[in-house]
Amino acid sequence: MSAGKPQVREVILVEGKYDKNTLAQVVDATIVTTDGFGIFSDRERLAFFRRLARQRGLILLTDSDGAGFVIRNFLKGAIDKECLKQAYIPDIAGKERRKRRAGKEGKLGVEGMDASVLLEALRRAGATIDGAEPPRGQAITKQDLYELGLSGGKDSAARRTQLMRHLSLPRRMSANALLEALNVLLDAASLRTCCAQLFEGGEEN
């Protein structure tokens, strides 16, 4: 975990990569994205979000504009409410620095919020901040993926695909996203056991 930043146990779900980058500077947490309206047609990713919600709890943090509430309402109906917490940012007029002009409704999104505003939104949502997390084994590293043949080898892509299918993970995940997801679902020892069963035990693709 990163020193100096509050740790949030739940997985935080935001709309896009700029929201994720902003939030990652505020809290130490697993942050995933809907890629905007892309979540509406991505059943694999939605199933992954459901699994994260069951395993760690999920905090939904979208923009305060109309599009953000369309995404929020869709996910509220698609994910078990017992596992879902709602975090809201206030309506603040303005535009993000990277944009040439403000959005249609003229409101700042998650990426434009101050750190204190984001942290307060998470607190109000009931986030588990700096809470004691259940004991876990050793974290999975990129070196582990290499040693298990999941990266850096000629068959690595096929092995990753087989592992993601076995764990019901979205097949289009990047290597970094896969590493992050594996660390939510498993630890290093359980990943090695899983790979041994898959690849040495001869499980069919």
Side-chain angles (χ1 to χ4, degrees):
M1 294 290 185
S2 301
K5 291 188 290 187
Q7 298 173 13
V8 177
R9 183 179 189 278
E10 293 88 353
V11 176
I12 306 173
L13 179 56
V14 296
E15 292 181 51
K17 65 179 182 180
Y18 293 105
D19 300 329
K20 178 177 180 177
N21 291 343
T22 296
L23 195 57
Q25 296 174 45
V26 178
V27 294
D28 193 344
T30 299
I31 306 168
V32 293
T33 65
T34 69
D35 290 343
F37 292 151
I39 188 58
F40 295 168
S41 57
D42 195 335
R43 285 186 288 182
E44 282 188 343
R45 183 175 294 192
L46 185 57
F48 176 51
F49 291 163
R50 289 190 184 112
R51 184 172 185 182
L52 292 178
R54 289 193 301 269
Q55 190 127 359
R56 287 265 292 275
L58 198 66
I59 298 174
L60 185 54
L61 178 61
T62 64
D63 291 349
S64 61
D65 59 8
F69 273 88
V70 168
I71 293 170
R72 183 186 294 275
N73 288 333
F74 171 77
L75 290 168
K76 281 170 67 176
I79 296 174
D80 187 347
K81 64 180 181 180
E82 302 290 327
C83 307
L84 189 63
K85 296 178 180 179
Q86 304 288 336
Y88 297 93
I89 58 171
D91 284 348
I92 299 176
K95 78 171 187 66
E96 287 77 13
R97 292 179 182 178
R98 69 178 178 87
K99 296 180 179 177
R100 295 183 60 184
R101 61 186 66 181
K104 184 165 65 174
E105 297 180 32
K107 299 176 182 179
L108 286 175
V110 169
E111 67 167 291
M113 292 289 132
D114 290 338
S116 59
V117 174
L118 292 173
L119 193 55
E120 180 61 19
L122 293 172
R123 290 188 190 280
R124 288 183 176 180
T128 308
I129 298 177
D130 290 328
E133 191 165 340
R136 288 176 58 86
Q138 186 174 357
I140 300 164
T141 66
K142 290 183 178 180
Q143 181 63 28
D144 291 322
L145 300 187
Y146 176 77
E147 291 175 359
L148 292 168
L150 295 167
S151 68
K154 65 176 184 178
D155 297 324
S156 294
R159 289 167 77 97
R160 284 197 306 274
T161 297
Q162 189 174 348
L163 176 65
M164 287 188 284
R165 184 182 297 120
H166 176 72
L167 295 175
S168 299
L169 295 174
R171 286 171 289 177
R172 293 188 292 275
M173 298 182 85
S174 67
N176 285 339
L178 173 61
L179 181 61
E180 192 171 52
L182 290 175
N183 270 307
V184 172
L185 301 172
L186 305 169
D187 58 27
S190 53
L191 176 61
R192 290 182 182 279
T193 299
C194 180
C195 287
Q197 293 172 345
L198 273 178
F199 308 130
E200 296 169 25
E203 180 172 312
E204 295 296 325
N205 292 346

